[in-house]
Amino acid sequence: MRFPLAATSAILAVVLALAQVQSRGFQFPNFTISDQSELILSDNSSIALGAIQVTPDVRGASMENRAGRTLYRRPFRLWSKEGKKANFNTTFVLNVQNMTASSGEGLAFILTADPHVPGGSDGQWLGIVNSRLNGTTDAKTVAIEFDTRKSFPEDLDDNHIGLDINSVYSKRSVSLNDRGIYISAAKDIKVVVQYDSKNLVVFVGDDMKNPVLSEPLDLSAYLPEKVYVGFSGSTSNNTQLNCVKSWQFNISEVKDSKSRTVWILVAVGSVLILLISIGIGIAFFLYRKRGYEGNRVENTHPNIEEAILGFSTAPKKFKFQELSKATGKFNPKNKLGKGGFGTVYKGILGKKEVAVKRVSKKSTQGKQEFIAEVTTIGHIHHRNLVKLIGWCHEKREYLLVYEYLPNGSLDKYIFWDEKSGTQEETLSWGKRLSVISGVAQALDYLHNGCMNRVLHRDIKASNVMLDLDFTAKLGDFGLARTIIHNEQTHHSTKELAGTPGYMAPESILTGRATAETDVYAFGVLVLEVACGRKPGGQAERDDYICNIVNGLWELYRRGTILEGADPRLNGIFIEEEMECVLILGLACCHPNPKNRPSMKTVLQVLTGEAPPPEVPAERPAFTWPPMPPSFNEWDNSLVGGQLSPFSGLSGR
Ligand SMILES: *[C@@H]1O[C@H](CO)[C@@H](O)[C@H](O)[C@H]1NC(C)=O
Ligand SMILES: *[C@@H]1O[C@H](CO)[C@@H](O)[C@H](O)[C@H]1NC(C)=O
Ligand SMILES: *[C@@H]1O[C@H](CO)[C@@H](O)[C@H](O)[C@H]1NC(C)=O
Ligand SMILES: *[C@@H]1O[C@H](CO)[C@@H](O)[C@H](O)[C@H]1NC(C)=O
Ligand SMILES: *[C@@H]1O[C@H](CO)[C@@H](O)[C@H](O)[C@H]1NC(C)=O
Ligand SMILES: *[C@@H]1O[C@H](CO)[C@@H](O)[C@H](O)[C@H]1NC(C)=O
Ligand SMILES: *[C@@H]1O[C@H](CO)[C@@H](O)[C@H](O)[C@H]1NC(C)=O
């Protein structure tokens, strides 16, 4: 009785599913770091402050003359050889803010064959094409541009949208001035694009009745069957923040009719086979009576855990033999450095260069450190964190495998090495700013962006690694701890963690790490990078000549803080930026933890969204327990948040 019924409904379901025009797509109501896995972010693009930053979001030299692209990771099918064509709808919210008196250059929604940014597509090219591809069929890119600068005579004005086909010279462009919409006014602008396979219609703003642009268009004439969708943007000497705050995209599925018949045949065939096997299965079941089902389930999933681990981005478990071979049996020639808990070697796994840390067998803390690293950063990924690729624990050996960063650690570039009497070429101010911003993003992510808050506890120049393009990556999580719910899981550890000179005054008293102690160490790092000098000893003990925080505070009191800037920069920096960064560093090093800004505020200051926090002219004395903040600029998220172990404490 049941069989024919089940069969009919199964066949019906399959046929219905195939007959329906299926649509696919995605929805990002906002952007968080975890969305990175679904996107292709080019070098100059990032996710920050809840949005896609198509071009860099940090003020200064690093913003100028950039091109970037952010695309959805999976390409979509636009058309088929049989003449079937997809239709799509997309809605996104842009927010563009000028960073120079006149903004530049613009951003665009693009459909493209190639996810890579064309070289030299900064400036007037909007990341769409470069001078070689412009006007050629090789470009294979169709764009809807939001142009904020009149960069060549044919360009309409400095506030228009345009339809660009394999070129930055628009096929049609429309000024937004008449509608009272100004692209670079730092306002959210909603854009709806509808393409029904014959016409392209674009709405900008809240008016969904009168499209700004409506053009007949057959994308299959210019684009390959499969394309990437997303955004491109650029800056020139005129800069702006090119943000996309939300984005949804739906596209109908293109299916060949021939293949659809084949699919229906295959589907009907499969249903028949399924029915027959069910019949056999039931007969078998009746025959064997019991035990069958349980075994089968277990056999098809021999090790669920293994399957999950193998599938996700979890660090890989390596064999000791593999790592020994990769490093030439831990050949001293391959030694990259020596840390507190072990030695780091360069190795080659497959074709990939890696850094392998062998935890010293003598160190009892080494084992703890090993566990801390695997559990805290093993599952966290961020472009400003050194990636842990794998680990190995065999007998008494504990090893960690990291991505290899050819440029080594930051300290080499900002300090004079007394031992060898040498220094790598010093970093320009633009690079230093982007290093500071990179570390700030990493730390904000650890404090506010992960499921559980992670404290790094050992932020310092030698723990910041530099990639080939000098992207800063925070490493060495040996002292890191995860905070779960309202408790610090390790807060009772008596060991004094950290490095002298980077430790907040209260941590010496309490021996405890908090988000505020991380912020303090970050402040010291900021000052080091700007001043090009080592932190010196403890702030409470040393006078201002020996200690960077005291020294700079003194300069600040005298109103000559710029004298603190690294002399090796030869004065090549923007004074306001230097001053802002130095004051931000001092604010982070406030002796009273409650007066330090949160990493969120730090990021806002670095992007120019917020002014630097107020800092008292005299360095306040360290008192314990901390006094409530004496000015209004502090961020109450730290005090109201889960990490405020101070409130219930009294001093000793
Ligand atoms: C971002 O969107 C997600 C839903 O995808 C939502 O749960 C979350 O609260 C949003 N975050 C913010 C900051 O709006
Ligand atoms: C980032 O921008 C710079 C300057 O325009 C450019 O040299 C570099 O190629 C860009 N990176 C990418 C991936 O486009
Ligand atoms: C896309 O589809 C989702 C449902 O899957 C719907 O909620 C949304 O409104 C659609 N978006 C557009 C732009 O059509
Ligand atoms: C942005 O443009 C406005 C109006 O043109 C101008 O007043 C403002 O100073 C500009 N912003 C910056 C950061 O230059
Ligand atoms: C770019 O291509 C267009 C054709 O689409 C052409 O008219 C224009 O001169 C080109 N511009 C440059 C700078 O090569
Ligand atoms: C951009 O600025 C640099 C240095 O200030 C200058 O040499 C160059 O001519 C400027 N480029 C344009 C297109 O204005
Ligand atoms: C796009 O929107 C149009 C009009 O609202 C609708 O008819 C069409 O089905 C939508 N397409 C997709 C793929 O959602």
Side-chain angles (χ1 to χ4, degrees):
M1 277 278 272
R2 262 194 211 154
F3 254 10
L5 203 72
T8 326
S9 52
I11 291 171
L12 216 71
V14 169
V15 171
L16 273 179
L18 285 169
Q20 231 173 34
V21 180
Q22 294 195 342
S23 83
R24 297 127 60 82
F26 51 82
Q27 222 165 338
F28 295 104
N30 53 48
F31 291 91
T32 59
I33 295 296
S34 58
D35 295 326
Q36 273 186 5
S37 58
E38 290 182 60
L39 300 168
I40 303 174
L41 289 160
S42 79
D43 262 3
N44 292 319
S45 288
S46 64
I47 290 177
L49 305 164
I52 297 176
Q53 309 284 341
V54 183
T55 52
D57 62 316
V58 182
R59 271 182 198 246
S62 58
M63 278 192 85
E64 289 181 355
N65 301 307
R66 297 291 163 138
R69 279 186 178 183
T70 300
L71 301 157
Y72 191 68
R73 186 162 289 280
R74 228 165 9 98
F76 289 101
R77 191 151 192 214
L78 268 186
W79 54 274
S80 74
K81 297 230 163 56
E82 286 224 322
K84 292 269 167 11
K85 287 170 190 169
N87 63 67
F88 68 80
N89 297 321
T90 184
T91 304
F92 48 88
V93 172
L94 302 178
N95 192 303
V96 175
Q97 184 181 353
N98 61 317
M99 286 284 136
T100 44
S102 67
S103 50
E105 288 278 336
L107 81 169
F109 171 74
I110 60 171
L111 298 123
T112 182
D114 184 0
H116 299 101
V117 189
S121 60
D122 56 326
Q124 62 164 335
W125 302 107
L126 307 183
I128 300 173
V129 287
N130 56 21
S131 58
R132 186 180 64 78
L133 292 169
N134 176 51
T136 72
T137 51
D138 285 347
K140 294 192 176 32
T141 302
V142 171
I144 297 162
E145 62 167 43
F146 297 82
D147 198 338
T148 58
R149 184 169 157 75
K150 183 169 164 64
S151 43
F152 44 88
E154 292 84 343
D155 225 2
L156 184 62
D157 62 10
D158 60 359
N159 185 44
H160 64 265
I161 81 167
L163 171 62
D164 300 351
I165 295 170
N166 292 333
S167 167
V168 279
Y169 283 42
S170 306
K171 181 167 181 269
R172 163 93 65 225
S173 57
V174 182
S175 172
L176 292 173
N177 291 345
D178 305 340
R179 300 202 176 214
I181 298 170
Y182 299 97
I183 300 170
S184 60
K187 295 253 166 61
D188 285 358
I189 300 175
K190 189 176 99 171
V191 179
V192 176
V193 179
Q194 295 177 338
Y195 175 70
D196 65 359
S197 80
K198 291 181 219 65
N199 294 286
L200 183 86
V201 181
V202 184
F203 298 91
V204 181
D206 295 324
D207 184 351
M208 287 296 294
K209 288 217 178 68
N210 305 299
V212 172
L213 193 140
S214 175
E215 276 286 300
L217 179 68
D218 179 5
L219 289 174
S220 68
Y222 311 104
L223 295 170
E225 279 181 69
K226 280 190 168 181
V227 293
Y228 293 90
V229 295
F231 301 90
S232 74
S234 71
T235 58
S236 58
N237 281 4
N238 300 299
T239 59
Q240 63 186 23
L241 297 177
N242 286 311
C243 303
V244 180
K245 293 173 78 170
S246 69
W247 182 24
Q248 57 169 266
F249 179 87
N250 295 351
I251 186 165
S252 63
E253 200 154 33
V254 174
K255 277 225 176 72
D256 293 340
S257 57
K258 222 192 258 160
S259 72
R260 189 185 292 182
T261 344
V262 172
W263 274 110
I264 290 176
L265 285 178
V266 168
V268 171
S270 329
V271 169
L272 283 177
I273 291 171
L274 192 76
L275 288 177
I276 292 166
S277 5
I278 290 175
I280 294 175
I282 287 175
F284 197 66
F285 176 74
L286 289 176
Y287 178 66
R288 290 281 299 267
K289 279 240 154 84
R290 47 158 68 203
Y292 179 74
E293 190 69 16
N295 280 342
R296 212 192 85 205
V297 167
E298 233 151 69
N299 288 343
T300 48
H301 301 284
N303 189 342
I304 290 172
E305 197 186 304
E306 205 170 273
I308 293 170
L309 277 177
F311 208 63
S312 77
T313 50
K316 193 173 161 223
K317 186 174 173 177
F318 285 100
K319 289 219 166 62
F320 181 76
Q321 274 308 321
E322 278 176 89
L323 298 182
S324 171
K325 198 174 146 211
T327 55
K329 296 213 169 91
F330 302 101
N331 190 330
K333 268 200 295 195
N334 292 331
K335 205 159 117 177
L336 290 172
K338 201 165 158 60
F341 305 115
T343 311
V344 184
Y345 299 87
K346 186 175 166 182
I348 309 263
L349 274 173
K351 276 184 191 145
K352 205 159 135 193
E353 290 177 315
V354 292
V356 179
K357 175 149 81 177
R358 188 183 198 184
V359 175
S360 156
K361 281 184 210 158
K362 287 188 210 114
S363 161
T364 42
Q365 270 186 16
K367 192 170 140 193
Q368 253 184 24
E369 183 223 25
F370 174 85
I371 295 166
E373 294 230 26
V374 178
T375 55
T376 52
I377 61 155
H379 296 268
I380 300 178
H381 299 284
H382 186 276
R383 68 190 286 265
N384 298 111
L385 294 175
V386 174
K387 192 169 163 202
L388 180 68
I389 298 170
W391 55 280
C392 163
H393 166 41
E394 273 175 34
K395 288 176 222 134
R396 288 180 58 222
E397 294 282 355
Y398 294 90
L399 298 136
L400 294 159
V401 184
Y402 305 92
E403 65 178 313
Y404 172 69
L405 296 163
N407 279 340
S409 57
L410 173 65
D411 53 341
K412 282 196 309 189
Y413 294 88
I414 53 172
F415 306 138
W416 179 259
D417 183 348
E418 276 133 27
K419 255 190 238 147
S420 65
T422 57
Q423 188 192 10
E424 296 279 343
E425 194 182 330
T426 195
L427 296 182
S428 69
W429 176 239
K431 287 212 178 87
R432 293 190 200 206
L433 263 184
S434 88
V435 164
I436 290 171
S437 154
V439 177
Q441 288 185 37
L443 210 50
D444 174 51
Y445 179 61
L446 293 175
H447 285 181
N448 308 310
C450 318
M451 192 120 77
N452 292 313
R453 178 170 270 187
V454 173
L455 300 181
H456 186 279
R457 304 210 303 169
D458 201 13
I459 294 152
K460 56 179 173 183
S462 58
N463 282 345
V464 174
M465 308 299 288
L466 299 175
D467 209 343
L468 261 185
D469 61 355
F470 288 94
T471 301
K473 296 194 181 220
L474 187 57
D476 209 328
F477 282 70
L479 293 176
R481 296 290 184 264
T482 303
I483 310 281
I484 294 166
H485 305 306
N486 275 325
E487 271 188 312
Q488 288 173 261
T489 43
H490 292 265
H491 76 168
S492 55
T493 40
K494 285 284 184 299
E495 103 221 52
L496 205 53
T499 304
Y502 294 87
M503 284 160 72
E506 76 274 11
S507 65
I508 296 165
L509 208 57
T510 63
R512 290 180 182 183
T514 59
E516 292 90 339
T517 57
D518 265 2
V519 170
Y520 185 94
F522 172 77
V524 175
L525 177 80
V526 167
L527 297 182
E528 286 179 309
V529 171
C531 306
R533 54 170 284 201
K534 294 194 177 163
Q538 265 321 310
E540 290 318 304
R541 295 200 201 117
D542 295 314
D543 58 22
Y544 70 82
I545 298 169
C546 302
N547 176 275
I548 196 172
V549 179
N550 292 355
L552 263 182
W553 220 304
E554 177 59 22
L555 290 178
Y556 177 65
R557 190 184 65 80
R558 294 188 202 154
T560 56
I561 195 165
L562 284 176
E563 283 176 18
D566 186 351
R568 274 164 302 200
L569 287 170
N570 290 325
I572 305 176
F573 51 79
I574 298 169
E575 289 188 356
E576 292 86 62
E577 277 178 9
M578 176 64 84
E579 187 171 342
C580 169
V581 164
L582 289 172
I583 291 175
L584 180 65
L586 284 184
C588 293
C589 295
H590 198 291
N592 184 344
K594 293 195 170 186
N595 286 75
R596 291 175 205 148
S598 69
M599 286 316 295
K600 246 193 184 61
T601 308
V602 167
L603 273 183
Q604 284 170 346
V605 174
L606 288 173
T607 54
E609 276 170 58
E614 271 177 46
V615 173
E618 291 276 356
R619 178 171 181 268
F622 170 60
T623 56
W624 192 256
M627 294 291 131
S630 50
F631 53 83
N632 296 328
E633 288 297 316
W634 56 284
D635 185 305
N636 56 16
S637 70
L638 270 183
V639 175
Q642 53 186 14
L643 239 197
S644 218
F646 295 121
S647 42
L649 281 178
S650 54
R652 295 189 288 193

